[in-house]
Amino acid sequence: MAVFKGITPEQIESLSSGLHAGVDEVGRGPLVGNVVTAAVILDPNNPITGLNDSKKLTEKKRELLFAEIHEKALCINVGHATPDEIDELNILHATMLAMQRAVAGLDIKPLSVLVDGNRTPAFYHGEETEDSIEAHAVVKGDGLISAISAASIIAKVIRDREMDLLDMEYPQYGFAKHKGYPTKAHFEALELHGVLPEHRKSFRPVKERLAKR
């Protein structure tokens, strides 16, 4: 595994061509819900303009790009790790598991996997467990490599939609606004209404609220 820091334009061009899968996650910091990952293989012959780190895009722009990525990408797959898995494995290992699930379910086996950040798990395709896929970590890759940017957008939109659904089920928690992150409003809702089954019991604010009970 290579870890790319201070990546050069030549390296960006090399990693952006061919059937490389970009992988990114959303939801490591929230107190509730799944961590969501996406793996995307873009079509080099059908480029998408405006791709960037999902956090740097407006919600409207993310939604537009989400639709365009689904229209133009060669394949997309989304992986999840549940709150129970996060509590059992810890958030880092659960995120790695969700990334593995995203890549394993791609319709096309990628030449390599490019992950935003500074570490990657071992990746396999489908039911294969013998030959791993070459993987590289790209620091700040969600703003540099188109396929990682696309994965960032897919994962962000999917998780936000999951939080919107949870908000409909538990409107008193305000999930549509804070998306489950540890905000003042979320702390107040935890204190007032208690811990939900969807909360991550191993995260300190949730664990402390359970201890009070």
Side-chain angles (χ1 to χ4, degrees):
M1 179 195 81
V3 177
F4 291 96
K5 297 179 181 179
I7 192 169
T8 66
E10 291 77 16
Q11 288 172 320
I12 292 173
E13 183 177 359
S14 174
L15 294 172
S16 297
S17 61
L19 300 182
H20 302 286
V23 173
D24 202 2
E25 57 74 25
V26 172
R28 288 180 63 170
L31 306 178
V32 68
N34 301 317
V35 61
V36 178
T37 63
V40 179
I41 300 179
L42 294 175
D43 184 350
N45 298 315
N46 204 2
I48 300 170
T49 59
L51 292 173
N52 202 347
D53 173 4
S54 64
K55 297 185 294 296
K56 296 180 179 179
L57 301 170
T58 64
E59 181 179 357
K60 181 179 179 180
K61 183 63 173 177
R62 285 196 300 267
E63 289 285 349
L64 291 171
L65 286 168
F66 181 88
E68 188 174 0
I69 294 164
H70 274 88
E71 178 185 342
K72 294 182 176 180
L74 294 177
C75 59
I76 299 167
N77 194 47
V78 175
H80 292 82
T82 66
D84 286 344
E85 289 174 322
I86 292 167
D87 291 336
E88 179 183 354
L89 300 173
N90 76 38
I91 186 59
L92 173 61
H93 289 96
T95 301
M96 297 295 108
L97 175 62
M99 288 182 175
Q100 289 172 319
R101 288 170 171 166
V103 171
L106 286 169
D107 291 336
I108 299 171
K109 183 177 181 179
L111 295 174
S112 72
V113 180
L114 309 173
V115 179
D116 179 55
N118 59 9
R119 68 179 71 196
T120 79
F123 288 106
Y124 303 90
H125 187 250
E127 299 299 321
E128 299 176 15
T129 57
E130 294 181 1
D131 296 324
S132 62
I133 303 170
E134 180 180 348
H136 304 295
V138 184
V139 176
K140 298 184 179 179
D142 51 3
L144 297 170
I145 306 294
S146 295
I148 302 179
S149 300
S152 169
I153 292 164
I154 296 296
K156 172 65 173 169
V157 172
I158 291 291
R159 191 177 193 283
D160 282 357
R161 290 178 179 179
E162 291 181 359
M163 287 296 100
D164 289 342
L165 289 173
L166 201 63
D167 182 77
M168 293 173 65
E169 189 172 356
Y170 306 106
Q172 67 272 32
Y173 286 81
F175 293 132
K177 292 184 178 179
H178 55 68
K179 307 303 183 188
Y181 282 90
T183 64
K184 180 181 178 183
H186 195 174
F187 290 147
E188 290 173 349
L190 261 178
E191 187 66 28
L192 186 61
H193 304 294
V195 175
L196 297 171
E198 292 82 0
H199 272 108
R200 302 171 182 180
K201 314 301 188 297
S202 58
F203 279 39
R204 189 176 68 180
V206 181
K207 186 186 296 186
E208 289 177 349
R209 181 62 179 82
L210 287 169
K212 290 182 180 180
R213 187 181 66 182

